[in-house]
Amino acid sequence: MNFQWKERLKKVSDVTTNTKYVPEKAKTIGVFFFYLFVLIIMLVLLFFVVGLCQRNHYIAAIIVAIIGCSITFFLWKIISADSIDNEEF
């Protein structure tokens, strides 16, 4: 019984470490949902900035805008990054 669990754990470990076992469609769907989630966060932050400016809370609006710009910068870096293969490391 213990041997069966070890084999299953080994299979799961192989799947998570080797990207060749993950279908391209699953990767595409995962990236799509990640971008959708970041887009929703950016829209919420934009609404916060507009609302804070309307209520004359300019310092808070600037802080939220800086957070939004940093998220946009990190997303741009992720999009423009080269593909990382496990074999290189």
Side-chain angles (χ1 to χ4, degrees):
M1 185 71 173
N2 193 12
F3 182 71
Q4 291 175 351
W5 285 106
K6 284 183 181 180
E7 285 297 318
R8 288 183 184 174
L9 182 62
K10 186 175 184 293
K11 285 181 184 178
V12 171
S13 298
D14 287 342
V15 168
T16 57
T17 56
N18 296 328
T19 58
K20 64 182 178 182
Y21 295 117
V22 180
E24 285 297 320
K25 187 174 181 179
K27 291 179 191 176
T28 305
I29 291 172
V31 169
F32 171 74
F33 280 116
F34 174 74
Y35 290 154
L36 183 67
F37 179 72
V38 172
L39 178 70
I40 291 170
I41 288 175
M42 292 305 299
L43 287 174
V44 168
L45 289 177
L46 179 68
F47 288 136
F48 278 151
V49 168
V50 170
L52 288 169
C53 285
Q54 287 178 348
R55 298 289 181 181
N56 297 327
H57 299 292
Y58 297 113
I59 296 174
I62 290 171
I63 293 170
V64 173
I66 290 171
I67 292 170
C69 289
S70 64
I71 291 173
T72 304
F73 175 73
F74 287 127
L75 182 66
W76 175 69
K77 289 300 243 182
I78 290 171
I79 291 171
S80 64
D82 293 335
S83 178
I84 298 175
D85 295 329
N86 288 338
E87 290 82 23
E88 293 178 9
F89 300 104

